[in-house]
Amino acid sequence: MSRVDLEVDVNGEELFVVDKDILSRLCGRIRSLVVAGAASARRPTRVALHGFPGGAEAFELVARFCYGGGGGCGGAVTAANACVLRCAAEFLDMAAADAPEAAPSLVSMTEKALEEMPQWPWHAVVDAVKQCQRLLPLSDTTGAFDAAVAALVSHMAVPPPPAGDTTPTTTSSPESSAFRFSCDTKSSSLSLRGSCISRTWWFEDLVVLSPATVERVAAALVARGGAGAADHGVVARFLFYYLKCRIAGAGAEEKKAMLEAAVAAMSLLDRSAVSCKGLFGILRIAAPLKQLAGACQERLVAMIGRKLDHATLDNLLVPAPAGTGSLYDVGLVLRFLGAFLRGGAAGEPAKLKKVGRLVDLYLAEVAPDPSLRPAKFLELATALPAPARDCHDALYRAIDVYFQVHGRLTDEEKMKICRGLSYEKLSPECCKHLARNGGFPTRAAVQALASQHTVLKSLVLRDPAQLKPVAPSPPPSTGKRREACRHDDGVGAGGENDGQVILYAGRLDLTLENQNLRSLLDGMHWRVIELEKVCSRMKTQMTKMKARRGAGRTARSLPRMCS
């Protein structure tokens, strides 16, 4: 008959009175505590176990195992208690080197049960994962958590089991069920449909997991590889579903943990698997959480940057942090653009131009912000390389609005911003508007006119074979047309200047007065119209000549045209 000479206080929950010799024979930690308390005059000896995994119920299972000598119904290891018994055995040092060799090992028995975990029913594996969450860090050091997650992932890769299959396998006889560790079986009831073949059938059952466990499961799914559960798109959908179900009503700290776990898991996925809309949704949730980890913020910015060509203007209109005085967070958009370019998008013209149009829309929205500093506006306007924009009209209009709102800018500050403009990429209408715009510095107007003159000249000389030598007329401000056609024996005979247009600009006396600039631009525009008329008349004459030749009439030389 065993003696009752040891009191064991388990986590302050319950006091067990046991035979110290029976427990000391298999539990190294109990043996050490008994030896340490041998000098005490108290009888029976009392030891306290703080932080015991599984609490009083788990200790009762261990005590039954010790009293049964590791055999019989009292030593049952089942799917329901394998994880908690493995952690309890580790806590009590039941694999101590100085334990009797003939003594049965609870460690080996529980590890054998964990090896068979992939054959457990789905609900038993989910319960095991939930247990491991509560048993940290022992479930990590013993490998029980990894075994449970691996078994979970292996189940996800196949269609769901039949709805009625809910009986877990055990390593002992059915009679041992009376000694299973008590767990919340109601909360782990399955929501499976027997005929379901969707790869998302497991979503609802895993929503109850902690953020750290969700991150762990997602990483295991990605690491598994292959088709099925490891599909990155399915993992991304689950992560968004998890946030949708759990974020509402959660506290700030819980939201922070969820977002950090979801972002860390998404960073492991392929870029195409994560939607841009979903990432911006996470960003808006995270905005009020100022304490979000820096690494999480960088991951989120990098992911959004890689998907920036899928973003919309509404996505970018993120309110600025409180206290800055600005309407929108321009600095955040600049970080997105930096991540976009670092992702190699500079070598993809289609994506680059799409983002260029998006940035122009964003510039138009933030330009009226009176708190937007010129340096920040210029940085945003010049953030993309030149190939991102084929036309700078939208950029010009945004700068025009910015100058109107920020009327105190000096000409030097305005010229710095105008450096973001490529005048060659302005349409004639915008160039004309710029020349008449009193809000722009005169130097900018001069540069725009000079660039436009070069563009016009290159356009006329692009296909000289279709034109004859023509001298332009002066601007309409003179009120006269000067004859520029002179008799030339080479005309129609293939002279040196045949097929070329000499655009006579005269000596441009560009002063700093806007009136002269307007007159110059009007003159240049008028010359282009005249050249178009000349080309039209020449084509008509050539058509008539061909018709006459076809009728057998004698061809005559092309008449000389004057403007």
Side-chain angles (χ1 to χ4, degrees):
M1 184 176 179
S2 62
R3 296 174 300 169
V4 180
D5 54 1
L6 178 64
E7 295 178 353
V8 182
D9 181 5
V10 180
N11 297 342
E13 299 174 1
E14 195 167 339
L15 187 66
F16 289 85
V17 183
V18 296
D19 188 327
K20 67 179 179 183
D21 292 336
I22 293 178
L23 266 67
S24 298
R25 186 170 65 93
L26 298 178
C27 304
R29 185 163 188 160
I30 294 289
R31 185 165 55 250
S32 300
L33 291 173
V34 168
V35 172
S40 173
R42 179 183 176 85
R43 294 293 180 271
T45 306
R46 174 177 288 191
V47 296
L49 301 178
H50 299 293
F52 186 80
E57 293 179 270
F59 183 81
E60 182 179 353
L61 287 173
V62 174
R64 288 177 181 272
F65 173 83
C66 295
Y67 271 84
C73 63
V77 178
T78 70
N81 61 31
C83 292
V84 71
L85 285 179
R86 177 65 186 91
C87 294
E90 186 74 15
F91 184 90
L92 293 174
D93 196 14
M94 298 184 75
D98 55 350
E101 293 183 3
S105 172
L106 183 59
V107 172
S108 61
M109 293 176 65
T110 52
E111 286 184 345
K112 182 180 179 181
L114 295 179
E115 290 174 1
E116 298 173 356
M117 194 180 292
Q119 284 74 50
W120 294 2
W122 166 256
H123 88 284
V125 176
V126 174
D127 286 346
V129 173
K130 293 177 183 178
Q131 281 187 15
C132 289
Q133 289 182 156
R134 299 190 293 267
L135 297 173
L136 288 169
L138 277 175
S139 59
D140 246 347
T141 57
T142 59
F145 209 161
D146 288 337
V149 170
L152 195 72
V153 170
S154 67
H155 275 273
M156 294 178 191
V158 296
D165 184 14
T166 58
T167 304
T169 59
T170 66
T171 57
S172 61
S173 61
E175 291 81 0
S176 63
S177 61
F179 306 106
R180 292 179 189 172
F181 175 62
S182 174
C183 63
D184 185 7
T185 56
K186 290 183 179 180
S187 64
S188 62
S189 61
L190 301 178
S191 58
L192 301 177
R193 296 178 297 273
S195 60
C196 177
I197 58 173
S198 170
R199 289 185 296 176
T200 63
W201 60 269
W202 44 269
F203 281 17
E204 188 176 345
D205 294 307
L206 302 191
V207 165
V208 296
L209 299 180
S210 69
T213 304
V214 166
E215 180 183 351
R216 192 168 189 154
V217 171
L221 283 168
V222 175
R224 180 183 177 89
D231 182 355
H232 288 207
V234 174
V235 178
R237 287 175 60 189
F238 168 67
L239 293 171
F240 285 123
Y241 180 77
Y242 178 79
L243 291 176
K244 177 183 177 181
C245 294
R246 294 285 302 273
I247 210 74
E253 288 301 318
E254 193 176 359
K255 284 183 180 179
K256 175 185 172 185
M258 291 178 190
L259 292 172
E260 289 178 353
V263 170
M266 288 178 188
S267 65
L268 305 175
L269 305 177
D270 291 335
R271 179 172 62 180
S272 60
V274 185
S275 71
C276 184
K277 180 181 179 181
L279 290 174
F280 275 103
I282 293 177
L283 178 68
R284 291 188 182 277
I285 296 173
L289 305 177
K290 300 179 181 179
Q291 303 301 322
L292 206 62
C296 176
Q297 294 180 21
E298 290 304 318
R299 287 195 190 105
L300 186 57
V301 168
M303 286 191 291
I304 292 177
R306 291 195 297 267
K307 303 278 291 184
L308 199 57
D309 54 308
H310 295 278
T312 64
L313 177 60
D314 287 340
N315 294 148
L316 296 186
L317 296 177
V318 180
T324 60
S326 298
L327 294 176
Y328 301 111
D329 196 344
V330 177
L332 182 62
V333 175
L334 287 170
R335 292 169 65 190
F336 292 156
L337 291 172
F340 173 73
L341 296 175
R342 287 193 299 272
E348 301 181 59
K351 289 185 177 181
L352 195 60
K353 293 181 188 301
K354 194 172 181 180
V355 174
R357 292 191 293 271
L358 179 63
V359 171
D360 286 344
L361 292 174
Y362 184 74
L363 280 166
E365 286 292 329
V366 301
D369 183 2
S371 300
L372 183 59
R373 294 182 290 106
K376 187 71 71 175
F377 183 84
L378 176 61
E379 186 180 2
L380 182 61
T382 59
L384 294 174
R389 296 182 179 93
D390 292 328
C391 178
H392 276 217
D393 286 8
L395 179 58
Y396 163 72
R397 287 190 288 269
I399 294 176
D400 185 24
V401 172
Y402 187 79
F403 285 171
Q404 293 178 33
V405 174
H406 300 76
R408 295 185 179 182
L409 293 177
T410 64
D411 279 359
E412 288 299 323
E413 291 175 320
K414 290 182 177 181
M415 282 304 299
K416 287 181 180 179
I417 294 176
C418 288
R419 290 171 190 168
L421 274 176
S422 177
Y423 302 111
E424 292 83 359
K425 293 184 177 181
L426 288 176
S427 65
E429 291 77 12
C430 278
C431 192
K432 182 176 181 179
H433 186 275
L434 191 156
R436 295 179 176 179
N437 194 338
F440 276 71
T442 306
R443 282 179 293 170
V446 173
Q447 292 175 5
L449 289 172
S451 299
Q452 197 70 10
H453 175 78
T454 305
V455 170
L456 290 174
K457 187 172 182 179
S458 65
L459 287 175
V460 208
L461 297 176
R462 182 173 295 172
D463 193 4
Q466 300 296 326
L467 300 174
K468 293 295 182 180
V470 176
S473 298
S477 57
T478 60
K480 298 180 181 179
R481 293 188 180 184
R482 296 186 303 173
E483 283 204 17
C485 294
R486 295 291 183 267
H487 180 71
D488 189 347
D489 293 338
V491 174
E496 292 182 359
N497 294 327
D498 189 18
Q500 297 182 359
V501 173
I502 302 175
L503 185 62
Y504 176 75
R507 181 178 297 176
L508 297 179
D509 185 14
L510 298 178
T511 68
L512 298 181
E513 298 297 327
N514 285 338
Q515 186 63 35
N516 292 339
L517 291 173
R518 296 192 194 107
S519 299
L520 178 60
L521 184 60
D522 289 339
M524 293 171 65
H525 184 63
W526 183 84
R527 291 185 192 117
V528 174
I529 295 175
E530 285 293 298
L531 287 172
E532 290 176 349
K533 292 179 180 178
V534 170
C535 291
S536 178
R537 290 199 297 267
M538 292 173 65
K539 288 180 180 179
T540 302
Q541 291 292 341
M542 292 177 68
T543 303
K544 290 180 179 179
M545 290 176 61
K546 290 180 181 179
R548 291 171 182 169
R549 288 175 181 173
R553 298 180 181 177
T554 304
R556 55 195 183 105
S557 61
L558 184 68
R560 291 186 294 273
M561 305 296 298
C562 296
S563 61

